Amino acid sequence: MKKAFKRISVIVMAALMVTTAAACSGNNGNNSGSAPASAGSEATAKPDAPKPTLKRLNVWTNEDYNAYPVAKLLEEATGYKMEYDMLPQDKWAEKLNLIMSSGEAYDMVTSYSDMALYSDYAQKGALVDLTSLIEEFGPNIKAALKPESIEALKVNGNLYAIPVSITYEVNSSILIRTDWLEKLGLPMPTTTDELTHVLQQFKEQDPGGNGERNVPLTIKGDQAMIDNIVGAFGIPNGWNEVDGRMVPRVLDPSFRDYAAYVADLYKQRLIDREFVANKDATAKEKFASGVAGAIVVHWADIPGIHEALSKNLPDAKFAYVPALKGPNGEAGFTANAGFDRLTFIPKSAKYPEDAIKWINASLEPETFKTMAIGVEGTHYKVENGGYTPILPIFNDERNLANNFMVGTDEEMYPQYWQARVRKNPVMFEAFDFLNNQQPAEVKHLNVLGLAPYMQQYAKNNQQLHTMSNDYTVKLIAGAESLDGLADFQAKYLAAGAEVSSQEVNEWYQSVNK
């Protein structure tokens, strides 16, 4: 890897891991904004105005936010009642666009981090500038967030969102039924050729006894870029370095080989023939019911899959496939940089000032710790200087705590995270395998994860992502031919990729001097 690329890696990792002193202001966030009455006027002082009920749109989960114990905790700690809605599990960004354009009055919106989407909203005037609100009502927010996080989210010098920073590197890989491998006498695949052979044996030998329903590998319909396999073809990230320049996947010389390989898997019926119609839940159900022998999933999804699979097939076993080597010896996973989630206040919000007060109160250090991992002796214990969850109460009352967070105490949360990632032994094993047992050389930093706001990139990225994803799905399913790749690339460049690429590379070269 180039010396300059190492430099940007150091910059980004420093932004993720640097320890800063978290100043505690003593303000618990429950300040109503009115001055206290003097001793001589207590009898005639007017009571504080009642706090309004706030509305929050959050990411999808399979439980009701409003009934979850953390919601009650935060209501008591902040003094605000919050009503929660959630985005859909599939195509959440499309739904969010509709909600934002409708002007629906949410006081807070939390979504998975999409810097281009966020920047686009900010540029279009759809978001409240939080700078002055945080300065006036957010001492805990200022203490909790690192300066690097705030700077990375500024658009034209203004801050429009509060981030939850990523605390781990690798998200996903191919999860495979190891009992199927054992039954057929097959080793864990380590190359793309070996993966093909394993899937062929799953199809021909049908170790699950599924007959016509047998599926070697299932994926969801919008999963055009299959984690681990894309890394085996040298394109683990959305943009990858080619001859010193950052290039989007569909323009990368390696894209043709990737698409041809996956399309061939589909043609051989080694990939779910119904994948185009699969929702996230559909693909998971096929694996959990024993119909599919492999699936691509995030390690955080392991507990639900394990529970369902164990009920259906108590003797079933699974494990993640390690980084596969491709035809040219390349291998790897995208290594996260930047943010997991962003929370912003739409211009349509009824109570932006109160929203900031709620966020500030939730980031009071003890409140945040209690939200994240609960009460010592009840939800967690301290062992050898680390936090260990007490089960099952931790899972019952803190499993979804991260979904309630608006920002984190960036100094302390990596330590609290120890308890959260250990809340399920099977999940921790999966997390540990991907994040701690894979060699450093197969973790490829997502360089754009902490890039500053770039106007053309922000404007075009969502459209270009949809365009390339839809085209790749069609290539895999045989609805498009690679003979037309050059024509598609020309349309892709004209649709904004050319100006975006110029902008991205001007920034990339500036940090690689």
Side-chain angles (χ1 to χ4, degrees), residues 13-263:
M13 294 311 295
L16 287 172
M17 301 303 295
V18 164
T19 300
T20 58
C24 180
S25 68
N27 180 354
N28 67 2
N30 294 328
N31 182 1
S32 67
S34 57
S38 66
S41 62
E42 282 184 3
T44 58
K46 294 182 179 179
D48 290 341
K51 294 179 178 179
T53 296
L54 303 178
K55 280 188 69 176
R56 180 178 178 185
L57 181 65
N58 211 336
V59 298
W60 182 88
T61 183
N62 59 358
E63 297 190 48
D64 180 4
Y65 283 110
N66 298 286
Y68 201 72
V70 173
K72 183 65 174 176
L73 166 74
L74 289 173
E75 182 176 338
E76 293 173 353
T78 66
Y80 287 94
K81 181 175 178 55
M82 181 79 73
E83 294 179 353
Y84 296 88
D85 291 334
M86 68 177 78
L87 290 163
Q89 185 175 17
D90 298 286
K91 298 184 178 180
W92 63 266
E94 294 179 16
K95 179 65 173 179
L96 181 56
N97 280 331
L98 292 174
I99 290 171
M100 292 296 291
S101 62
S102 74
E104 192 165 349
Y106 284 104
D107 298 295
M108 282 178 246
V109 173
T110 299
S111 73
Y112 292 111
S113 179
D114 185 322
M115 292 293 285
L117 198 65
Y118 155 68
S119 300
D120 187 49
Y121 291 157
Q123 281 289 106
K124 290 178 177 176
L127 306 181
V128 172
D129 179 6
L130 307 182
T131 310
S132 61
L133 289 173
I134 292 174
E135 189 64 35
E136 185 172 359
F137 303 110
N140 293 326
I141 299 172
K142 292 168 65 177
L145 300 180
K146 294 181 294 189
E148 298 95 326
S149 297
I150 293 173
E151 287 303 313
L153 282 174
K154 284 186 175 179
V155 177
N156 297 331
N158 298 321
L159 181 67
Y160 296 93
I162 296 174
V164 171
S165 295
I166 290 171
T167 52
Y168 56 88
E169 291 179 296
V170 182
N171 297 332
S172 309
S173 181
I174 301 167
L175 195 70
I176 196 165
R177 286 282 298 276
T178 51
D179 56 317
W180 283 21
L181 292 175
E182 292 168 4
K183 187 174 183 178
L184 300 178
L186 297 170
M188 177 69 77
T190 59
T191 68
T192 50
D193 285 345
E194 290 176 5
L195 177 65
T196 302
H197 176 67
V198 164
L199 296 178
Q200 287 171 339
Q201 294 304 300
F202 281 5
K203 174 192 170 188
E204 294 168 8
Q205 303 297 324
D206 189 13
N210 293 304
E212 290 297 318
R213 297 170 63 236
N214 184 41
V215 177
L217 169 63
T218 189
I219 57 176
K220 57 184 180 178
D222 60 355
Q223 205 161 31
M225 302 299 175
I226 303 175
D227 288 331
N228 201 337
I229 296 178
V230 285
F233 287 87
I235 47 175
N237 292 300
W239 291 65
N240 299 278
E241 185 180 317
V242 178
D243 297 330
R245 291 181 59 81
M246 298 303 293
V247 178
R249 277 179 176 142
V250 76
L251 298 180
D252 195 297
S254 298
F255 174 78
R256 177 182 290 273
D257 292 336
Y258 165 77
Y261 173 79
V262 180

Side-chain angles (χ1 to χ4, degrees), residues 237-241 246-249 445-448 457 461 464 492 497 500-501 504-505:
N237 292 300
W239 291 65
N240 299 278
E241 185 180 317
M246 298 303 293
V247 178
R249 277 179 176 142
L445 186 70
N446 177 17
V447 177
L448 292 183
Y457 175 77
N461 188 61
L464 292 173
Y492 183 78
S500 296
S501 180
V504 166
N505 280 288

Side-chain angles (χ1 to χ4, degrees), residues 296-319:
V296 180
V297 289
H298 194 292
W299 56 262
D301 291 326
I302 295 294
I305 288 174
H306 177 251
E307 181 180 5
L309 184 60
S310 296
K311 287 179 180 178
N312 295 321
L313 299 161
D315 296 327
K317 297 186 292 184
F318 57 76

Side-chain angles (χ1 to χ4, degrees), residues 321-389:
V321 174
L324 296 166
K325 287 188 178 180
N328 297 320
E330 295 175 291
F333 304 100
T334 182
N336 296 317
F339 309 115
D340 179 41
R341 301 175 193 190
L342 300 176
T343 297
F344 44 82
I345 299 176
K347 273 287 180 66
S348 57
K350 291 183 179 180
Y351 307 109
E353 181 179 306
D354 291 283
I356 288 294
K357 291 178 180 178
W358 183 96
I359 296 168
N360 185 69
S362 76
L363 285 171
E364 189 279 323
E366 283 304 312
T367 297
F368 179 79
K369 183 178 183 180
T370 305
M371 169 174 58
I373 57 175
V375 177
E376 185 175 2
T378 300
H379 299 96
Y380 72 91
K381 53 188 174 181
V382 180
E383 295 179 326
N384 300 318
Y387 296 97
T388 301

Side-chain angles (χ1 to χ4, degrees), residues 166-172 175 298-303 320 336 414 417-418 420-422 424-438 443:
I166 290 171
T167 52
Y168 56 88
E169 291 179 296
V170 182
N171 297 332
S172 309
L175 195 70
H298 194 292
W299 56 262
D301 291 326
I302 295 294
Y320 271 129
N336 296 317
W417 175 255
Q418 298 171 38
R420 296 202 53 76
V421 79
R422 287 178 170 85
N424 181 289
V426 179
M427 181 182 74
F428 179 72
E429 182 180 350
F431 164 84
D432 186 59
F433 178 79
L434 288 182
N435 285 277
N436 298 327
Q437 296 183 34
Q438 296 300 293
K443 299 174 186 177

